[in-house]
mmCIF file of all heavy atoms in Angstrom:
data_model
loop_
_atom_site.group_PDB
_atom_site.id
_atom_site.type_symbol
_atom_site.label_atom_id
_atom_site.label_comp_id
_atom_site.label_asym_id
_atom_site.label_seq_id
_atom_site.Cartn_x
_atom_site.Cartn_y
_atom_site.Cartn_z
ATOM 1 N N VAL J 269 8.091 -1.934 -0.793
ATOM 2 C CA VAL J 269 8.968 -0.765 -0.706
ATOM 3 C C VAL J 269 8.211 0.427 -0.108
ATOM 4 O O VAL J 269 8.715 1.143 0.783
ATOM 5 C CB VAL J 269 9.529 -0.411 -2.091
ATOM 6 C CG1 VAL J 269 10.319 0.908 -2.030
ATOM 7 C CG2 VAL J 269 10.411 -1.535 -2.602
ATOM 8 N N MET J 270 6.980 0.627 -0.547
ATOM 9 C CA MET J 270 6.203 1.769 -0.059
ATOM 10 C C MET J 270 5.808 1.589 1.410
ATOM 11 O O MET J 270 5.794 2.560 2.187
ATOM 12 C CB MET J 270 4.952 1.949 -0.921
ATOM 13 C CG MET J 270 5.280 2.285 -2.385
ATOM 14 S SD MET J 270 3.825 2.340 -3.459
ATOM 15 C CE MET J 270 3.118 3.917 -2.956
ATOM 16 N N VAL J 271 5.497 0.353 1.834
ATOM 17 C CA VAL J 271 5.165 0.098 3.244
ATOM 18 C C VAL J 271 6.381 0.333 4.122
ATOM 19 O O VAL J 271 6.284 0.912 5.224
ATOM 20 C CB VAL J 271 4.612 -1.322 3.411
ATOM 21 C CG1 VAL J 271 4.568 -1.720 4.880
ATOM 22 C CG2 VAL J 271 3.212 -1.426 2.800
ATOM 23 N N THR J 272 7.546 -0.091 3.638
ATOM 24 C CA THR J 272 8.778 0.137 4.415
ATOM 25 C C THR J 272 9.018 1.635 4.604
ATOM 26 O O THR J 272 9.331 2.108 5.714
ATOM 27 C CB THR J 272 9.972 -0.508 3.693
ATOM 28 O OG1 THR J 272 9.719 -1.907 3.520
ATOM 29 C CG2 THR J 272 11.255 -0.317 4.497
ATOM 30 N N ALA J 273 8.870 2.393 3.494
ATOM 31 C CA ALA J 273 9.014 3.850 3.612
ATOM 32 C C ALA J 273 7.908 4.429 4.493
ATOM 33 O O ALA J 273 8.137 5.389 5.258
ATOM 34 C CB ALA J 273 8.981 4.483 2.226
ATOM 35 N N GLY J 274 6.688 3.837 4.435
ATOM 36 C CA GLY J 274 5.599 4.327 5.272
ATOM 37 C C GLY J 274 5.848 4.108 6.752
ATOM 38 O O GLY J 274 5.449 4.937 7.596
ATOM 39 N N ILE J 275 6.481 2.981 7.089
ATOM 40 C CA ILE J 275 6.811 2.727 8.499
ATOM 41 C C ILE J 275 7.777 3.784 9.017
ATOM 42 O O ILE J 275 7.619 4.340 10.127
ATOM 43 C CB ILE J 275 7.390 1.308 8.655
ATOM 44 C CG1 ILE J 275 6.299 0.255 8.346
ATOM 45 C CG2 ILE J 275 7.946 1.098 10.055
ATOM 46 C CD1 ILE J 275 6.820 -1.170 8.323
ATOM 47 N N VAL J 276 8.812 4.072 8.210
ATOM 48 C CA VAL J 276 9.770 5.117 8.612
ATOM 49 C C VAL J 276 9.057 6.466 8.695
ATOM 50 O O VAL J 276 9.305 7.268 9.617
ATOM 51 C CB VAL J 276 10.950 5.165 7.623
ATOM 52 C CG1 VAL J 276 11.913 6.295 7.996
ATOM 53 C CG2 VAL J 276 11.669 3.829 7.584
ATOM 54 N N ASN J 277 8.161 6.725 7.743
ATOM 55 C CA ASN J 277 7.419 7.977 7.728
ATOM 56 C C ASN J 277 6.584 8.139 9.005
ATOM 57 O O ASN J 277 6.561 9.204 9.627
ATOM 58 C CB ASN J 277 6.519 7.999 6.486
ATOM 59 C CG ASN J 277 5.623 9.213 6.430
ATOM 60 O OD1 ASN J 277 6.084 10.341 6.570
ATOM 61 N ND2 ASN J 277 4.331 8.978 6.228
ATOM 62 N N SER J 278 5.893 7.053 9.426
ATOM 63 C CA SER J 278 5.071 7.126 10.633
ATOM 64 C C SER J 278 5.930 7.190 11.893
ATOM 65 O O SER J 278 5.588 7.894 12.861
ATOM 66 C CB SER J 278 4.130 5.911 10.687
ATOM 67 O OG SER J 278 3.258 5.889 9.578
ATOM 68 N N ALA J 279 7.024 6.430 11.886
ATOM 69 C CA ALA J 279 7.870 6.385 13.086
ATOM 70 C C ALA J 279 8.573 7.716 13.340
ATOM 71 O O ALA J 279 8.766 8.121 14.495
ATOM 72 C CB ALA J 279 8.896 5.265 12.950
ATOM 73 N N THR J 280 8.948 8.432 12.270
ATOM 74 C CA THR J 280 9.630 9.728 12.447
ATOM 75 C C THR J 280 8.654 10.875 12.678
ATOM 76 O O THR J 280 9.064 11.961 13.070
ATOM 77 C CB THR J 280 10.484 10.038 11.207
ATOM 78 O OG1 THR J 280 9.645 10.052 10.051
ATOM 79 C CG2 THR J 280 11.587 9.011 11.028
ATOM 80 N N GLY J 281 7.376 10.674 12.388
ATOM 81 C CA GLY J 281 6.384 11.724 12.571
ATOM 82 C C GLY J 281 6.289 12.680 11.420
ATOM 83 O O GLY J 281 5.649 13.729 11.544
ATOM 84 N N ALA J 282 6.930 12.350 10.260
ATOM 85 C CA ALA J 282 6.855 13.249 9.105
ATOM 86 C C ALA J 282 5.431 13.289 8.527
ATOM 87 O O ALA J 282 4.977 14.342 8.054
ATOM 88 C CB ALA J 282 7.847 12.812 8.037
ATOM 89 N N VAL J 283 4.755 12.173 8.559
ATOM 90 C CA VAL J 283 3.358 12.049 8.090
ATOM 91 C C VAL J 283 3.198 12.641 6.688
ATOM 92 O O VAL J 283 2.347 13.496 6.436
ATOM 93 C CB VAL J 283 2.374 12.722 9.078
ATOM 94 C CG1 VAL J 283 0.946 12.275 8.780
ATOM 95 C CG2 VAL J 283 2.726 12.414 10.513
ATOM 96 N N LEU J 284 4.051 12.189 5.755
ATOM 97 C CA LEU J 284 3.951 12.659 4.379
ATOM 98 C C LEU J 284 2.659 12.136 3.740
ATOM 99 O O LEU J 284 2.307 10.961 3.878
ATOM 100 C CB LEU J 284 5.156 12.172 3.568
ATOM 101 C CG LEU J 284 6.532 12.676 4.031
ATOM 102 C CD1 LEU J 284 7.636 12.057 3.187
ATOM 103 C CD2 LEU J 284 6.595 14.193 3.954
ATOM 104 N N GLN J 285 1.950 13.009 3.030
ATOM 105 C CA GLN J 285 0.711 12.597 2.394
ATOM 106 C C GLN J 285 0.963 11.644 1.215
ATOM 107 O O GLN J 285 0.028 10.987 0.734
ATOM 108 C CB GLN J 285 -0.064 13.818 1.911
ATOM 109 C CG GLN J 285 -0.514 14.722 3.049
ATOM 110 C CD GLN J 285 -1.464 15.808 2.563
ATOM 111 O OE1 GLN J 285 -2.544 15.513 2.061
ATOM 112 N NE2 GLN J 285 -1.040 17.055 2.721
ATOM 113 N N ALA J 286 2.209 11.543 0.758
ATOM 114 C CA ALA J 286 2.536 10.586 -0.297
ATOM 115 C C ALA J 286 2.281 9.153 0.139
ATOM 116 O O ALA J 286 2.179 8.249 -0.701
ATOM 117 C CB ALA J 286 3.995 10.757 -0.725
ATOM 118 N N ALA J 287 2.154 8.941 1.464
ATOM 119 C CA ALA J 287 1.859 7.595 1.947
ATOM 120 C C ALA J 287 0.504 7.104 1.450
ATOM 121 O O ALA J 287 0.256 5.890 1.351
ATOM 122 C CB ALA J 287 1.905 7.565 3.471
ATOM 123 N N LEU J 288 -0.403 8.014 1.102
ATOM 124 C CA LEU J 288 -1.714 7.599 0.577
ATOM 125 C C LEU J 288 -1.614 6.946 -0.796
ATOM 126 O O LEU J 288 -2.562 6.298 -1.253
ATOM 127 C CB LEU J 288 -2.641 8.819 0.496
ATOM 128 C CG LEU J 288 -3.005 9.487 1.837
ATOM 129 C CD1 LEU J 288 -3.823 10.754 1.586
ATOM 130 C CD2 LEU J 288 -3.773 8.510 2.712
ATOM 131 N N LEU J 289 -0.464 7.120 -1.463
ATOM 132 C CA LEU J 289 -0.308 6.496 -2.785
ATOM 133 C C LEU J 289 -0.293 4.981 -2.717
ATOM 134 O O LEU J 289 -0.431 4.298 -3.747
ATOM 135 C CB LEU J 289 0.988 7.001 -3.446
ATOM 136 C CG LEU J 289 1.052 8.510 -3.715
ATOM 137 C CD1 LEU J 289 2.405 8.882 -4.311
ATOM 138 C CD2 LEU J 289 -0.078 8.929 -4.651
ATOM 139 N N GLN J 290 -0.128 4.426 -1.519
ATOM 140 C CA GLN J 290 -0.208 2.976 -1.370
ATOM 141 C C GLN J 290 -1.571 2.438 -1.796
ATOM 142 O O GLN J 290 -1.708 1.282 -2.200
ATOM 143 C CB GLN J 290 0.061 2.583 0.086
ATOM 144 C CG GLN J 290 1.452 2.960 0.593
ATOM 145 C CD GLN J 290 1.600 2.723 2.075
ATOM 146 O OE1 GLN J 290 1.800 1.589 2.513
ATOM 147 N NE2 GLN J 290 1.488 3.785 2.853
ATOM 148 N N LEU J 291 -2.593 3.284 -1.712
ATOM 149 C CA LEU J 291 -3.940 2.853 -2.088
ATOM 150 C C LEU J 291 -4.023 2.518 -3.587
ATOM 151 O O LEU J 291 -4.830 1.686 -3.996
ATOM 152 C CB LEU J 291 -4.956 3.935 -1.733
ATOM 153 C CG LEU J 291 -5.097 4.244 -0.232
ATOM 154 C CD1 LEU J 291 -6.096 5.371 -0.014
ATOM 155 C CD2 LEU J 291 -5.511 3.002 0.544
ATOM 156 N N PHE J 292 -3.182 3.162 -4.411
ATOM 157 C CA PHE J 292 -3.153 2.814 -5.836
ATOM 158 C C PHE J 292 -2.711 1.368 -6.029
ATOM 159 O O PHE J 292 -3.269 0.639 -6.866
ATOM 160 C CB PHE J 292 -2.188 3.756 -6.583
ATOM 161 C CG PHE J 292 -2.772 5.092 -6.916
ATOM 162 C CD1 PHE J 292 -2.475 6.209 -6.145
ATOM 163 C CD2 PHE J 292 -3.621 5.242 -7.992
ATOM 164 C CE1 PHE J 292 -3.013 7.436 -6.449
ATOM 165 C CE2 PHE J 292 -4.166 6.484 -8.307
ATOM 166 C CZ PHE J 292 -3.863 7.588 -7.532
ATOM 167 N N VAL J 293 -1.719 0.957 -5.256
ATOM 168 C CA VAL J 293 -1.227 -0.415 -5.368
ATOM 169 C C VAL J 293 -2.277 -1.400 -4.855
ATOM 170 O O VAL J 293 -2.478 -2.466 -5.431
ATOM 171 C CB VAL J 293 0.100 -0.571 -4.597
ATOM 172 C CG1 VAL J 293 0.674 -1.968 -4.808
ATOM 173 C CG2 VAL J 293 1.105 0.484 -5.052
ATOM 174 N N VAL J 294 -2.968 -1.032 -3.764
ATOM 175 C CA VAL J 294 -4.035 -1.898 -3.246
ATOM 176 C C VAL J 294 -5.134 -2.059 -4.295
ATOM 177 O O VAL J 294 -5.678 -3.153 -4.490
ATOM 178 C CB VAL J 294 -4.590 -1.319 -1.930
ATOM 179 C CG1 VAL J 294 -5.806 -2.107 -1.477
ATOM 180 C CG2 VAL J 294 -3.517 -1.336 -0.852
ATOM 181 N N PHE J 295 -5.474 -0.967 -4.976
ATOM 182 C CA PHE J 295 -6.483 -1.042 -6.041
ATOM 183 C C PHE J 295 -6.053 -2.015 -7.136
ATOM 184 O O PHE J 295 -6.859 -2.820 -7.634
ATOM 185 C CB PHE J 295 -6.710 0.348 -6.628
ATOM 186 C CG PHE J 295 -7.673 0.369 -7.790
ATOM 187 C CD1 PHE J 295 -9.039 0.370 -7.570
ATOM 188 C CD2 PHE J 295 -7.197 0.379 -9.094
ATOM 189 C CE1 PHE J 295 -9.922 0.384 -8.634
ATOM 190 C CE2 PHE J 295 -8.079 0.388 -10.158
ATOM 191 C CZ PHE J 295 -9.443 0.392 -9.931
ATOM 192 N N ASN J 296 -4.784 -1.969 -7.534
ATOM 193 C CA ASN J 296 -4.300 -2.889 -8.564
ATOM 194 C C ASN J 296 -4.282 -4.331 -8.076
ATOM 195 O O ASN J 296 -4.521 -5.245 -8.866
ATOM 196 C CB ASN J 296 -2.900 -2.471 -9.027
ATOM 197 C CG ASN J 296 -2.944 -1.350 -10.053
ATOM 198 O OD1 ASN J 296 -2.994 -1.587 -11.253
ATOM 199 N ND2 ASN J 296 -2.940 -0.126 -9.568
ATOM 200 N N LEU J 297 -3.989 -4.537 -6.796
ATOM 201 C CA LEU J 297 -4.072 -5.894 -6.251
ATOM 202 C C LEU J 297 -5.519 -6.414 -6.317
ATOM 203 O O LEU J 297 -5.754 -7.574 -6.685
ATOM 204 C CB LEU J 297 -3.573 -5.916 -4.803
ATOM 205 C CG LEU J 297 -2.068 -5.752 -4.602
ATOM 206 C CD1 LEU J 297 -1.736 -5.668 -3.112
ATOM 207 C CD2 LEU J 297 -1.308 -6.919 -5.231
ATOM 208 N N ALA J 298 -6.477 -5.568 -5.930
ATOM 209 C CA ALA J 298 -7.877 -5.979 -6.011
ATOM 210 C C ALA J 298 -8.307 -6.227 -7.443
ATOM 211 O O ALA J 298 -9.195 -7.055 -7.709
ATOM 212 C CB ALA J 298 -8.770 -4.916 -5.378
ATOM 213 N N LEU J 299 -7.680 -5.536 -8.385
ATOM 214 C CA LEU J 299 -8.066 -5.638 -9.792
ATOM 215 C C LEU J 299 -7.494 -6.877 -10.460
ATOM 216 O O LEU J 299 -8.123 -7.440 -11.369
ATOM 217 C CB LEU J 299 -7.595 -4.384 -10.528
ATOM 218 C CG LEU J 299 -8.178 -4.098 -11.917
ATOM 219 C CD1 LEU J 299 -9.673 -3.912 -11.833
ATOM 220 C CD2 LEU J 299 -7.516 -2.863 -12.520
ATOM 221 N N ARG J 300 -6.326 -7.345 -10.011
ATOM 222 C CA ARG J 300 -5.649 -8.410 -10.753
ATOM 223 C C ARG J 300 -5.192 -9.600 -9.910
ATOM 224 O O ARG J 300 -5.055 -10.699 -10.442
ATOM 225 C CB ARG J 300 -4.419 -7.833 -11.467
ATOM 226 C CG ARG J 300 -4.774 -6.810 -12.537
ATOM 227 C CD ARG J 300 -3.523 -6.254 -13.202
ATOM 228 N NE ARG J 300 -3.869 -5.331 -14.289
ATOM 229 C CZ ARG J 300 -4.131 -4.063 -14.144
ATOM 230 N NH1 ARG J 300 -4.041 -3.520 -12.926
ATOM 231 N NH2 ARG J 300 -4.464 -3.297 -15.167
ATOM 232 N N ALA J 301 -4.948 -9.398 -8.612
ATOM 233 C CA ALA J 301 -4.354 -10.468 -7.801
ATOM 234 C C ALA J 301 -5.426 -11.368 -7.201
ATOM 235 O O ALA J 301 -6.631 -11.073 -7.250
ATOM 236 C CB ALA J 301 -3.482 -9.861 -6.698
ATOM 237 N N ARG J 302 -4.972 -12.480 -6.612
ATOM 238 C CA ARG J 302 -5.880 -13.378 -5.916
ATOM 239 C C ARG J 302 -6.314 -12.768 -4.585
ATOM 240 O O ARG J 302 -5.698 -11.826 -4.079
ATOM 241 C CB ARG J 302 -5.200 -14.722 -5.685
ATOM 242 C CG ARG J 302 -4.852 -15.473 -6.972
ATOM 243 C CD ARG J 302 -4.159 -16.774 -6.681
ATOM 244 N NE ARG J 302 -2.882 -16.544 -5.990
ATOM 245 C CZ ARG J 302 -2.084 -17.514 -5.552
ATOM 246 N NH1 ARG J 302 -2.450 -18.788 -5.726
ATOM 247 N NH2 ARG J 302 -0.960 -17.228 -4.953
ATOM 248 N N ALA J 303 -7.372 -13.347 -4.008
ATOM 249 C CA ALA J 303 -7.918 -12.819 -2.756
ATOM 250 C C ALA J 303 -6.887 -12.884 -1.631
ATOM 251 O O ALA J 303 -6.779 -11.959 -0.811
ATOM 252 C CB ALA J 303 -9.180 -13.591 -2.372
ATOM 253 N N ARG J 304 -6.103 -13.955 -1.596
ATOM 254 C CA ARG J 304 -5.093 -14.088 -0.537
ATOM 255 C C ARG J 304 -4.041 -12.987 -0.648
ATOM 256 O O ARG J 304 -3.615 -12.407 0.366
ATOM 257 C CB ARG J 304 -4.435 -15.468 -0.625
ATOM 258 C CG ARG J 304 -3.403 -15.740 0.452
ATOM 259 C CD ARG J 304 -2.785 -17.125 0.255
ATOM 260 N NE ARG J 304 -3.799 -18.167 0.269
ATOM 261 C CZ ARG J 304 -3.533 -19.463 0.068
ATOM 262 N NH1 ARG J 304 -2.288 -19.842 -0.198
ATOM 263 N NH2 ARG J 304 -4.506 -20.351 0.115
ATOM 264 N N THR J 305 -3.624 -12.696 -1.876
ATOM 265 C CA THR J 305 -2.628 -11.632 -2.070
ATOM 266 C C THR J 305 -3.209 -10.274 -1.695
ATOM 267 O O THR J 305 -2.517 -9.424 -1.110
ATOM 268 C CB THR J 305 -2.160 -11.628 -3.534
ATOM 269 O OG1 THR J 305 -1.679 -12.928 -3.888
ATOM 270 C CG2 THR J 305 -1.048 -10.611 -3.746
ATOM 271 N N LEU J 306 -4.490 -10.054 -2.005
ATOM 272 C CA LEU J 306 -5.138 -8.792 -1.645
ATOM 273 C C LEU J 306 -5.198 -8.623 -0.126
ATOM 274 O O LEU J 306 -4.914 -7.531 0.406
ATOM 275 C CB LEU J 306 -6.537 -8.734 -2.245
ATOM 276 C CG LEU J 306 -7.400 -7.524 -1.860
ATOM 277 C CD1 LEU J 306 -6.730 -6.226 -2.298
ATOM 278 C CD2 LEU J 306 -8.787 -7.655 -2.451
ATOM 279 N N LEU J 307 -5.568 -9.680 0.585
ATOM 280 C CA LEU J 307 -5.621 -9.598 2.047
ATOM 281 C C LEU J 307 -4.243 -9.323 2.628
ATOM 282 O O LEU J 307 -4.093 -8.533 3.577
ATOM 283 C CB LEU J 307 -6.191 -10.892 2.610
ATOM 284 C CG LEU J 307 -7.682 -11.145 2.328
ATOM 285 C CD1 LEU J 307 -8.088 -12.524 2.859
ATOM 286 C CD2 LEU J 307 -8.539 -10.055 2.981
ATOM 287 N N LEU J 308 -3.212 -9.957 2.072
ATOM 288 C CA LEU J 308 -1.854 -9.711 2.544
ATOM 289 C C LEU J 308 -1.455 -8.264 2.288
ATOM 290 O O LEU J 308 -0.837 -7.609 3.153
ATOM 291 C CB LEU J 308 -0.882 -10.659 1.840
ATOM 292 C CG LEU J 308 0.611 -10.494 2.181
ATOM 293 C CD1 LEU J 308 0.842 -10.690 3.680
ATOM 294 C CD2 LEU J 308 1.474 -11.446 1.366
ATOM 295 N N GLY J 309 -1.802 -7.718 1.109
ATOM 296 C CA GLY J 309 -1.473 -6.329 0.811
ATOM 297 C C GLY J 309 -2.183 -5.364 1.748
ATOM 298 O O GLY J 309 -1.585 -4.378 2.212
ATOM 299 N N CYS J 310 -3.444 -5.625 2.073
ATOM 300 C CA CYS J 310 -4.178 -4.759 3.010
ATOM 301 C C CYS J 310 -3.550 -4.812 4.401
ATOM 302 O O CYS J 310 -3.440 -3.789 5.101
ATOM 303 C CB CYS J 310 -5.642 -5.185 3.066
ATOM 304 S SG CYS J 310 -6.562 -4.864 1.545
#
């Protein structure tokens, strides 16, 4: 959901800094998910 909103954010040029919140989800993937899921999330 956040990547989809990030694509629209980048495509429209709004460049909202809330897009950096995706890094929280990446951190949780690295903390709990398998390596394949982490690579897919990155």
